[in-house]
Amino acid sequence: MGRMNLRLLAASAAALTLLSACGRDVIMRDAPQVRSINVTGEAEAKAVPDIAMLNFSVRGRAVTSSDAFGEVSTSMNAVISVLKERGIEARDLQTNQISLNPVYFRDDKGRSDRNKIIAYEAYQGLTVRLRTIGEAGATIDAAVEAGANELNSFRMAIDDPKGLRDEARIAAVEDARAKAEAMAKAAGAKLGDVISLNTYNDGARPQPMAIRAMAMESADAGPSIEAGEQTVRVTVNAVFELQ
């Protein structure tokens, strides 16, 4: 009985090995290759900016920290009041930075003595969203007259760019398909379904303008602002099946 059991076990092991080998053959069998074509589509959409983002600031210096903050706060509150009087809503005004730094004594050679504070410099920044770009020049002038002593940045943008991006995406996909169809026809094939599709948004242009320490001398000294237009560029990478 012992020898018979060993023979049965050996036969079973051989059968399992054969089945396992057959299973590996089926799993490793190569799938048929799918012919495909890889193309890039590009498109852009343009629109006139409808908002302006301005970054004003007030900087002041005094012997004590409280006086420095008081001076800056008074000026910034005046700026905010003037902007609200011009119809800018509270939701479009945002404090973006507040800082206070000591001013150290410097000798004749310009060396700083960090043990001797001679004054404090306070700073407060304000971001303004302007929903009528045509009023940007007059708004800058009014803010400077009210006490803002720096316009750190100015840029124009599209308040809701989603529609513009969608328009560019659709055009980019259409461009990719047109290229793929032309290439497939030249190769004597037909274009099949889309296998994969990737979209890359290049963002909106142009670059923002930066203006530092602007000084307005009269009520009509505000700069002339031209909105121009902004462009959203989209690139699409598409893979199509070839039939």
Side-chain angles (χ1 to χ4, degrees), residues 48-127:
V48 176
D50 53 5
I51 62 170
M53 302 296 293
L54 300 88
N55 187 356
F56 293 105
S57 63
V58 175
R59 192 184 302 272
R61 179 183 290 194
V63 174
T64 65
S65 59
S66 59
D67 286 344
F69 258 136
E71 177 184 335
V72 167
S73 296
T74 299
S75 296
M76 183 56 79
N77 288 340
V79 171
I80 293 173
S81 295
V82 166
L83 295 177
K84 287 183 176 180
E85 289 172 4
R86 293 185 58 83
I88 299 176
E89 300 180 22
R91 62 176 179 151
D92 293 326
L93 301 171
Q94 183 178 46
T95 299
N96 57 54
Q97 184 179 349
I98 295 177
S99 65
L100 177 69
N101 297 298
V103 180
Y104 298 104
F105 171 80
R106 290 183 179 275
D107 60 22
D108 295 339
K109 296 182 179 179
R111 293 175 297 191
S112 175
D113 183 356
R114 301 187 68 84
N115 293 318
K116 188 174 182 180
I117 298 175
I118 60 173
Y120 289 88
E121 185 174 85
Y123 174 94
Q124 185 172 348
L126 178 71
T127 299

